[in-house]
């Protein structure tokens, strides 16, 4: 466990002040949120999601106008536009990409040729080991099942130390982290950094709908559920009428195509339009701990101060 967050290896690798990543949440993590996080010393991340190239190019350029700090693009490998997204990050000179929801292997060559640092999100030790074999991979995000959005099945507490023991590059812990205590716990497990998504939904700079934010702010410890297990791509969401109907369709044996058709556009409608009854409200289990509206700088300062408070307690004991 490092004594100062600023001394973490990932800070030196990426050129950031604190080893705190803002999760790449589709339709939530846009240029304004990413730039605010980067300006506050963390790694802001624009989520490409299922958006086309033109939208992403606009967001990258906007982020560059708002910050001179490094930021990343999250590439959702299930996107039908993934090849265009790769084109965009190369053409626009993005220095760091985070990959998720799939295997980025076939894209490594192009990213490596352009000197882009790659940080894959993985749900298991075996995937972490495979990802490390590529020279362009500078870190691994070990994301536990407590996270919001696309998740694996192993919890953060169990997975992070196993991945730390299995790879030689920095490991970023994600899933179930919402305050300085969670940051300290991640570092005690051997992580070199943390990624948070749900807490940044309530950031002032986040442009998610007020209804979406309120759904997160009012969540309790048991407010989330996992849908889509039958599709092979489980997703953690806050319980609502959409999640109940999705689960009912799964129990009735609906095909993957039927489930995908039902879920199409549901996240966008919740985030941007505020349809939080029949929209997909993705959030992590930590939502029950998150209720305060504040700036990205205030969030990061609180995470750092909270970590330092825990560290002082350990030293004094």
């Amino acid at each position: 466990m490092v004594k100062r967050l600023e001394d973490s290896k990932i800070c030196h690798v990426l050129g950031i002040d604190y080893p705190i990543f803002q999760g790449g949440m589709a339709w939530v993590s846009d240029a304004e949120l990413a730039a605010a996080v980067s300006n506050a010393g963390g790694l802001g991340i624009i989520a490409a999601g299922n958006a086309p190239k033109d939208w992403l190019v606009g967001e990258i350029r906007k982020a560059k106008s708002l910050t001179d700090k490094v930021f990343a693009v999250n590439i959702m490998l299930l996107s039908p536009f993934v090849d265009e997204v790769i084109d965009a990050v190369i053409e626009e000179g993005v220095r760091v990409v985070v990959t998720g929801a799939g295997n980025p292997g076939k894209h490594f060559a192009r990213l490596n040729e352009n000197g882009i640092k790659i940080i894959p999100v993985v749900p298991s030790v075996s995937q972490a080991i495979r990802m490390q074999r590529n020279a362009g991979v500078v870190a691994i995000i070990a994301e536990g099942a407590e996270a919001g959005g696309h998740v694996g099945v192993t919890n953060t507490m169990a997975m992070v130390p196993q991945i730390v023991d299995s790879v030689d590059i920095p490991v970023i812990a994600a899933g179930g982290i919402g305050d300085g205590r969670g940051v300290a716990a991640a570092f005690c497990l051997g992580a070199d950094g943390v990624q948070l998504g749900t807490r940044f939904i309530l950031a002032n700079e986040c442009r998610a709908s007020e209804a979406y934010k309120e759904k997160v702010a009012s969540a309790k410890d048991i407010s989330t559920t996992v849908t889509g297990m039958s599709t092979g791509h489980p997703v953690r969401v806050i319980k609502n009428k959409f999640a109940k109907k999705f689960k009912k369709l799964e129990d009735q044996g609906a095909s993957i195509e039927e489930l995908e058709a039902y879920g199409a556009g549901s996240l966008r409608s919740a985030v941007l339009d505020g349809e939080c009854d029949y929209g997909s409200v993705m959030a992590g289990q930590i939502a029950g701990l998150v209720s305060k509206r504040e700036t990205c700088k205030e969030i990061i300062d609180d995470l750092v101060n909270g970590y330092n408070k825990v560290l002082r307690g350990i030293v004094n004991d």
Side-chain angles (χ1 to χ4, degrees), residues 31-307:
E32 290 194 22
L33 180 60
V37 171
S38 291
N39 283 334
L43 180 69
I45 300 176
I46 297 171
N50 281 320
K53 178 181 178 180
D54 289 348
W55 179 89
L56 180 59
V57 168
E59 292 300 303
I60 292 171
R61 293 178 180 177
K62 185 174 184 179
K64 287 181 177 179
S65 74
L66 296 172
T67 183
D68 59 358
K69 308 278 187 167
V70 64
F71 62 87
V73 168
N74 179 286
I75 301 174
M76 208 273 285
L77 297 164
L78 292 175
S79 168
F81 303 109
V82 64
D83 291 321
E84 295 179 18
V85 166
I86 299 289
D87 291 339
V89 299
I90 292 172
E91 293 166 8
E92 297 300 316
V94 174
R95 294 155 55 190
V96 182
V97 300
V98 173
T99 64
N103 187 338
K106 70 176 185 178
H107 304 291
F108 277 151
R110 292 187 66 209
L111 294 171
N112 288 343
E113 287 168 5
N114 289 275
I116 298 173
K117 295 180 174 69
I118 308 166
I119 307 178
V121 177
V122 302
S124 67
V125 170
S126 60
Q127 285 198 31
I129 292 171
R130 285 200 299 273
M131 293 300 101
Q132 180 187 235
R133 292 172 185 157
N134 184 274
V137 174
V138 299
I140 295 289
I141 297 174
E143 185 175 74
E146 300 95 323
H150 292 279
V151 294
V153 296
T154 306
N155 291 337
T156 305
M157 180 68 74
M159 181 172 58
V160 169
Q162 294 183 66
I163 290 181
V164 167
D165 289 348
S166 302
V167 299
D168 300 318
I169 56 178
V171 174
I172 311 303
I177 300 169
D179 61 13
R181 294 171 295 180
V183 176
F187 275 82
C188 285
L189 295 175
D192 291 288
V194 295
Q195 177 172 283
L196 297 82
T198 303
R199 185 165 180 184
F200 282 109
I201 294 172
L202 296 190
N204 293 348
E205 297 90 344
C206 176
R207 297 195 297 166
S209 66
E210 180 58 29
Y212 196 99
K213 289 189 174 190
E214 183 54 35
K215 199 75 172 176
V216 173
S218 61
K220 307 300 181 186
D221 59 328
I222 57 171
S223 290
T224 68
T225 187
V226 175
T227 60
M229 292 294 291
S230 63
T231 69
H233 300 290
V235 175
R236 183 174 296 284
V237 298
I238 290 179
K239 298 172 185 175
N240 63 359
K241 293 176 181 178
F242 167 83
K244 184 177 180 180
K245 176 69 178 297
F246 200 105
K247 182 68 165 58
K248 183 177 181 180
L249 289 172
E250 284 192 281
D251 291 344
Q252 293 173 342
S255 67
I256 292 178
E257 291 75 18
E258 289 172 319
L259 293 171
E260 289 179 346
Y262 176 67
S266 58
L267 176 60
R268 187 183 189 282
S269 68
V271 175
L272 301 184
D273 302 330
E275 176 45 80
C276 292
D277 285 329
Y278 290 99
S280 178
V281 183
M282 295 185 186
Q285 285 184 317
I286 203 68
L289 190 69
V290 175
S291 60
K292 190 176 180 180
R293 312 296 184 96
E294 51 197 338
T295 66
C296 289
K297 185 179 187 308
E298 288 171 333
I299 291 173
I300 289 182
D301 286 348
D302 180 67
L303 293 169
V304 174
N305 292 335
Y307 167 88

Side-chain angles (χ1 to χ4, degrees), residues 2-13 16-20 41 187 192 304-305 307-308 311:
V2 296
K3 290 187 177 180
R4 297 194 323 146
L5 290 178
E6 299 93 321
D7 295 331
S8 171
K9 288 184 288 185
I10 198 63
C11 289
H12 301 293
V13 171
I16 57 180
D17 295 333
Y18 302 114
I20 298 171
F187 275 82
D192 291 288
V304 174
N305 292 335
Y307 167 88
N308 289 334
L311 188 62

